[in-house]
Amino acid sequence: MDTLTSEEIARYHRHILLPEVGGAGQQRLKRARVLVIGAGGLGAPILQYLAAAGVGTLGIADDDRVSLSNLQRQVIHDTSTIGELKSQSAADAITRLNPHVTVVRFEERFSAETASHQLSGFHLLIDGSDNFDTRYAAADAAEMAKIPLVTGAVGRFDGSLTVLKPYEADAEGALYPSYRDLFPEKPPAGLVPSCAEAGVIGALTGVIGTLMAMEAIKLVTGAGEPLVGRLLMYDSLTARFDTVKYKRRRARQPA
């Protein structure tokens, strides 16, 4: 286990007080290597809270640059960073927040072609992307690498998230579901409008992104019960949360 310095013990004192985390859990966070896809609406709170929590290495995969229209929701960036690469702007913000965190930047989109290179050495993948091609590529890559995936999505006033570990089995020996058990096929192009087309309330990305960061912390520390086989949905207009359980669509045996 990685030893915590006196400064780190003071920084993470409120975590260490929690029996579910403690010193051992904080050491696991320090040793963890987490890759986050996207430094946008979802990626911003994910990166901020994981950095604040003391995740030792954070990877950022994003090829986009900060624009003025991003700042309504992508709170890791600010007016002074307009025009910068999002990965660089986010990395600088993380360093200001917690200098103990190492940031690895990938100035390219996460895809089936880049997945193997980008995922190498990481223990957990978090998908904060805004398109179905990346979501399916992330799910396939995480399953192949046998690492957990936290994935979420937002649109207008609604959001959802789940945790995927399809390479593991439950207590009865049944494999946990995969992304395609939840969403068998990509929707036809143009059927689901993007946030750029339909809009999104900025604070919603903070709600869902923070929940995704919480799931990541649970996975790393072993605290609580992650959202494996459960889709958590949030309607911000009614302030309502709903959880839907889902399972494998076909019987398969663990590898």
Side-chain angles (χ1 to χ4, degrees), residues 9-10 26 30 38 43 56 67 82 86-87 107 114 118 130 141 145-146 168-169 194 215 228 247 249:
I9 290 172
Q26 194 61 52
K30 183 176 180 178
S67 67
I82 291 174
K86 288 183 180 179
S87 62
E107 296 174 6
T114 64
Q118 292 185 4
D130 60 358
K146 296 186 176 180
E168 288 187 2
S194 67
E215 290 302 302
V228 178
K247 297 181 178 180
R249 290 174 176 264

Side-chain angles (χ1 to χ4, degrees), residues 52-98:
V55 170
T57 301
L58 283 171
I60 306 172
D62 197 314
D63 69 341
D64 199 7
R65 292 181 179 272
V66 181
S67 67
L68 182 60
S69 64
N70 297 151
L71 302 185
Q72 161 256 14
R73 63 200 178 283
Q74 300 179 20
V75 294
I76 202 167
H77 313 296
D78 58 52
T79 304
S80 68
T81 65
I82 291 174
E84 287 186 17
L85 286 164
K86 288 183 180 179
S87 62
Q88 184 63 64
S89 172
D92 292 342
I94 289 168
T95 300
R96 290 192 296 270
L97 176 61
N98 189 347

